[in-house]
Amino acid sequence: MNKHGLLHPELARLVTQIGHTDELTVCDAGLPIPSSVTRIDLALTQGVPSFMQTVDAVLTHTCIESVVIAEEFAAASPALHQALLARLEQESAARQQPITVTTISHEAFKARTVQSKAVVRTGECTPYANVIFQAGVTF
């Protein structure tokens, strides 16, 4: 049994297989997921797991160099948007490497998810609680 890592087998496989510049999306319960992209569905009930719990798990086990979020996120869900930015800042400081944040329209965001290796669906029901992570390197 995995003692210190991710317990979800599909998510664990994903974070070990992505390479530099590969993208993965963590999304709320309502984001449409393209049928051409692998879906890792963690949603159990409304809010479980939360967006931030899932973001924390991904950031703990993956090296990220940039993220993409929807422009609408800040206005529609300011507390969660700020929590994400704070967590990214914490990760950036710990790695001593910047994490670039790019904002695009929600429509462009949805279109971009087709580039992701996988979309990880959470139980989050907060509007625009979605992020695309671009993998970095640990050296």
Side-chain angles (χ1 to χ4, degrees):
M1 173 174 253
N2 187 345
K3 186 174 179 183
H4 298 290
L6 293 169
L7 298 179
H8 193 279
E10 290 175 282
L11 189 54
R13 183 170 20 103
L14 172 65
V15 300
T16 60
Q17 290 179 344
I18 61 172
H20 188 216
T21 73
D22 286 344
E23 294 183 357
L24 72 99
T25 300
V26 174
C27 72
D28 60 27
L31 187 75
I33 299 172
S35 60
S36 61
V37 177
T38 299
R39 173 200 281 268
I40 299 176
D41 200 334
L42 304 180
L44 182 60
T45 61
Q46 187 170 353
V48 178
S50 73
F51 175 73
M52 287 307 299
Q53 287 171 324
T54 308
V55 164
D56 283 339
V58 170
L59 289 175
T60 297
H61 298 283
T62 311
C63 180
I64 300 300
E65 69 180 17
S66 65
V67 301
V68 178
I69 57 176
E71 296 165 345
E72 296 88 343
F73 193 10
S77 305
L80 192 54
H81 176 262
Q82 190 55 45
L84 174 62
L85 294 181
R87 180 62 177 93
L88 293 172
E89 191 173 303
Q90 175 188 10
E91 186 69 17
S92 179
R95 289 187 42 236
Q96 297 181 324
Q97 293 286 328
I99 296 175
T100 305
V101 178
T102 302
T103 57
I104 59 177
S105 73
H106 186 59
E107 289 305 312
F109 183 96
K110 290 189 291 187
R112 180 146 174 188
T113 62
V114 79
Q115 295 175 214
S116 289
K117 294 286 184 183
V119 176
V120 181
R121 181 175 173 257
T122 70
E124 187 68 53
C125 292
T126 303
Y128 304 103
N130 308 297
V131 63
I132 297 172
F133 290 116
Q134 186 176 61
V137 292
T138 57
F139 54 89

